[in-house]
Amino acid sequence: MSDGLSQELTAPNGRKYTQPLGLFINNEWRAAKSGEKITTVNPTNEEVIASVHAAGREDIDEAVSAARTAFNGEWREVNPTQRGALLNKFAALVEEHRETLATIETWDNGKPYSDSYSGDVGEVLAVFRYYAGYADKNFGQVIDTKPSQLCYTVLEPKGVCAQIVPWNYPLGMSAWKLAPALAAGNTVILKASEQTPLSILYLANLFVEAGFPPGVVNIVNGDGKVAGVALASHTDVNKIAFTGSTATGREIMKAASSNLKDITLETGGKSPAVIFDDADLDNAVQWSHYGIMGNAGQICTATSRILVQEGIYDRFLKAFGEKIKATSIVGDPFEEKTYQGPQVSKAQYDRILSYVESGKEEGAEVYTGGKPSTVLGGKGYFIEPTIFTKVTPKMRIYREEIFGPFGVVLSFKTEEEAVKIANDTEYGLGAAVFTRDLSRAHTLAKKIESGNVWINSNQSSDVRVPFGGMKQSGIGRENGEAGIKAYLTSKSIYVNLAVKASL
Ligand code: NAD
C-alpha cells in the first residue's frame, strides 16, 4: 500500500513499519509542490528503499511561514517548564520506538545495528533529556547601573531556526540541533540529508504524539542545492545551524548573509592522533583503531592522521595491522559480528577509492586494504579498512578529508615536531594524544589547535560538554550550556525609576 506520503515497509531484519515519505509541515504530511522525489538506497545491497518527497523553494516558504506563525502564536504561550516536559515526552516515545528507529538508521545508512541502537538512538535520548532539564534554567541578569534605573537582561529564543544535517549520524546530529532549539523556545525547519532521510522523517510523527503544536517542528528532505539553499538564504529565518562539509559551510555562510542570520557551523576535519614512545601501546592501538575505523571512518572527528614517535613506530604499526584484522569485520550491518558496514553511498565509495589511487600516484604505500571488499558477493559499497604509510604532508591523502576507513601513519622525532605536524592542517576539530607523561599531555592539549582534545583516549563526546571546531572546522558550539545559549539571544531592558522626567 502506498499513497506516496507513506509506505508499509519490511526492513532486512524483518521489522515491519510505516515509513513517512512526505514533507512534514505544520504537523501534516504534504507532497512536494514540484512533484520531485529523491530515492534513498540501501548501501548494503544497492537496492532502492523508498522515494521521498523533495522540498523545493515554495515548500520551504510554506515551512518557514508555518514556523513563524507558531513562533508568534501558540508556542510563545508554552512556558519553559512545559517545553521541558514536551522534550521528555518525546524522549519517552523515542525509547518506545527504539528498535524501529535503529532498524531504519542501519538500513538507510549502513552502520551496524548495535551502534544504531545504543549509539545513535541512545544519543537522541540523552540529548533530549539533557535539554529537557535545561529548558527552564536560562536566566538573564540584573545590572546595577545607577540609583534611578533598573537595568536587566532577559534571554529570548532566536526565532525561526533552519537546521541542515549530514548523513553520517542522521539521528544524532538532528538531536544535537532540535533539542536545544526547542528547549530554548524556537521553532524549527530541519532538512535531512538526501542520502539518509528515513529515520528523521520517522521522528516527525513522534513530535505530534508528544504534543508539540503545529509549526513548531517542520522536517523535510530535499536537495542541498535547492532546499538547503532556500533555507540558508531565506530572509524570514533567524538562525541557521549546519553540520556537513567545510565547502558547503562556506556556501551557507554566504547565503546566510542575505539577512545577517546567526550561524552555527560544524564542518570537516583531518584530526591527528599523536602517539609517543612512552604510551601504553595496547591502549594507543585500541583507540587509534576506533578513531579511524569506527562508523566506517565516517566521523567528522576521525583521527585520520596517525603520528607515531619513531621509537615505537614499527611496533605500533604491526599491532595496528593485527588489530584491524581481528576487529574490523566488514559485512552486513544487521549481522551481530559486523564492525564495519558499507560506506553510505556510491559517491562516497568512489571518492574513497579515488584517494587510494591518489595516494599510490603520489608515492605512498598501502600497508593494508586499499581496495573494495567483496564480502557480500561484490554488492554494496564495502571498502577494506585501509592504512597508508610512507606519507608526506604534501600528499592529498594527508591533507584532505576522505571520510572513510582510511588512515595515514607517519613518524615523528620530537614533541615539537609532533605539534607542528598536528597543526599542519586547515582543520581543527579533534586530536588524541597518547603518553604516560601527564605534563607533556597537558602541554600538547594547549598547543594543538583543535576544539576537542582526548588524552589517552579518542572520540569521547558527551552531551554535557561543548563540541565544535577551530579554524575551518566550524563556528560556534553544540552540546552543553553553549549548545542552548546558541539558540538564545539577550535583550537589555532599562527602566527609569526617577519620579520626575529627566535625562
Ligand atoms: P555536505 O556538506 O555535502 O552536506 C551536508 C548537508 O548540507 C546535506 O543535508 C546537504 O543536502 C546540505 N547541502 C549541500 N549543499 C548545500 C548548500 N549549498 N546549501 C545548503 N545546504 C546544502 O556533507 P555530507 O557529505 O552530508 O557530510 C559529510 C561532511 O560532514 C564531512 O565533511 C564531515 O566532516 C562533516 N561532519 C561534520 C560534523 C561536525 O560536527 N563538525 C559532524 C558530522 C559530519
Side-chain angles (χ1 to χ4, degrees):
M1 196 279 289
S2 171
D3 56 9
L5 293 177
S6 69
Q7 196 176 345
E8 302 302 318
L9 294 179
T10 306
N13 62 353
R15 198 162 190 92
K16 292 183 194 310
Y17 74 101
T18 306
Q19 174 64 57
L21 299 171
L23 309 175
F24 180 74
I25 297 173
N26 217 27
N27 279 8
E28 302 162 354
W29 290 101
R30 301 183 185 175
K33 295 218 179 304
S34 65
E36 294 273 325
K37 289 188 180 180
I38 296 175
T39 53
T40 176
V41 169
N42 175 1
T44 303
N45 61 11
E46 303 172 43
E47 285 171 12
V48 169
I49 303 176
S51 285
V52 183
H53 287 263
R57 195 167 273 276
E58 274 183 81
D59 304 303
I60 294 295
D61 284 345
E62 285 195 359
V64 172
S65 161
R68 177 61 61 194
T69 305
F71 183 71
N72 289 337
E74 204 178 336
W75 191 228
R76 268 195 197 279
E77 307 307 317
V78 180
N79 75 43
T81 307
Q82 291 168 327
R83 292 201 299 264
L86 282 172
L87 263 70
N88 267 327
K89 181 82 199 301
F90 174 79
L93 290 166
V94 168
E95 197 150 37
E96 256 178 51
H97 290 255
R98 189 168 195 157
E99 281 86 2
T100 303
L101 281 162
T103 299
I104 303 173
E105 200 75 327
T106 290
W107 194 9
D108 208 11
N109 169 283
K111 65 178 71 198
Y113 179 80
S114 54
D115 290 357
S116 297
Y117 186 88
S118 0
D120 299 67
V121 184
E123 186 75 7
V124 179
L125 295 174
V127 174
F128 268 85
R129 287 180 172 144
Y130 175 77
Y131 283 115
Y134 230 123
D136 56 5
K137 295 165 192 71
N138 301 288
F139 314 113
Q141 294 174 305
V142 176
I143 300 161
D144 195 0
T145 50
K146 55 184 174 180
S148 59
Q149 192 174 61
L150 169 66
C151 185
Y152 63 96
T153 63
V154 286
L155 296 180
E156 297 189 345
K158 299 238 176 208
V160 172
C161 298
Q163 306 184 321
I164 299 180
V165 293
W167 45 259
N168 61 339
Y169 290 97
L171 286 173
M173 291 301 101
S174 300
W176 281 20
K177 292 179 170 46
L178 289 165
L182 296 170
N186 299 277
T187 58
V188 168
I189 306 111
L190 181 130
K191 190 195 87 61
S193 165
E194 300 85 314
Q195 287 85 355
T196 54
L198 300 181
S199 56
I200 302 169
L201 290 173
Y202 190 86
L203 284 185
N205 285 331
L206 306 186
F207 281 108
V208 181
E209 204 178 330
F212 283 83
V216 173
V217 181
N218 305 276
I219 299 180
V220 299
N221 185 29
D223 191 341
K225 299 260 179 288
V226 180
V229 169
L231 281 170
S233 58
H234 205 293
T235 51
D236 201 27
V237 169
N238 302 103
K239 177 186 169 98
I240 185 146
F242 165 78
T243 298
S245 65
T246 296
T248 306
R250 278 194 204 100
E251 292 301 312
I252 290 194
M253 248 182 123
K254 277 188 226 156
S257 70
S258 61
N259 62 333
L260 294 190
K261 270 180 207 69
D262 182 88
I263 48 177
T264 303
L265 302 178
E266 301 278 12
T267 54
K270 190 78 183 174
S271 301
V274 185
I275 298 146
F276 285 93
D277 285 347
D278 70 344
D280 179 305
L281 183 65
D282 279 353
N283 186 57
V285 167
Q286 300 276 350
W287 283 115
S288 302
H289 174 264
Y290 177 64
I292 183 58
M293 301 304 172
N295 210 38
Q298 304 167 140
I299 309 183
C300 50
T301 45
T303 43
S304 50
R305 292 182 300 138
I306 303 167
L307 319 177
V308 189
Q309 201 164 18
E310 56 184 6
I312 204 178
Y313 182 84
D314 290 338
R315 282 197 295 140
F316 175 86
L317 201 56
K318 183 164 175 284
F320 196 49
E322 283 163 7
K323 174 72 185 165
I324 290 175
K325 270 206 193 79
T327 306
S328 281
I329 297 163
V330 180
D332 182 336
F334 282 107
E335 291 273 331
E336 214 170 303
K337 65 178 191 311
T338 296
Y339 180 86
Q340 181 187 312
Q343 306 310 125
V344 75
S345 64
K346 174 85 166 65
Q348 281 302 117
Y349 169 89
D350 288 342
R351 179 181 154 87
I352 295 163
L353 293 177
S354 79
Y355 276 105
V356 170
E357 289 319 306
S358 160
K360 288 181 187 162
E361 275 162 25
E362 292 194 299
E365 249 176 37
V366 175
Y367 180 74
T368 186
K371 53 183 193 300
S373 163
T374 51
V375 64
L376 295 189
K379 273 278 171 210
Y381 311 128
F382 294 94
I383 291 190
E384 287 191 3
T386 297
I387 291 294
F388 269 79
T389 54
K390 304 227 162 47
V391 176
T392 66
K394 284 213 160 49
M395 294 178 183
R396 287 182 57 216
I397 58 170
Y398 171 92
R399 305 215 74 80
E400 297 175 17
E401 183 180 46
I402 299 172
F403 225 54
F406 188 132
V408 300
V409 185
L410 288 86
S411 76
F412 67 89
K413 286 191 172 60
T414 62
E415 190 177 310
E416 201 185 6
E417 190 191 357
V419 172
K420 197 165 161 237
I421 305 179
N423 287 339
D424 179 22
T425 168
E426 69 198 34
Y427 297 112
L429 197 52
V433 177
F434 296 91
T435 176
R436 285 195 173 96
D437 178 343
L438 278 185
S439 119
R440 167 196 271 162
H442 288 292
T443 307
L444 251 79
K446 273 192 179 178
K447 287 187 179 168
I448 293 179
E449 299 155 354
S450 170
N452 305 276
V453 178
W454 305 285
I455 295 171
N456 292 326
S457 72
N458 205 336
Q459 305 301 318
S460 314
S461 150
D462 189 306
V463 61
R464 294 161 293 193
V465 182
F467 177 93
M470 291 183 179
K471 292 153 85 175
Q472 293 191 46
S473 287
I475 297 176
R477 293 290 177 268
E478 292 188 314
N479 287 347
E481 184 182 13
I484 191 160
K485 291 289 185 282
Y487 284 97
L488 290 163
T489 193
S490 167
K491 181 184 277 178
S492 304
I493 299 167
Y494 297 82
V495 185
N496 180 15
L497 301 176
V499 188
K500 286 187 190 151
S502 67
L503 283 180

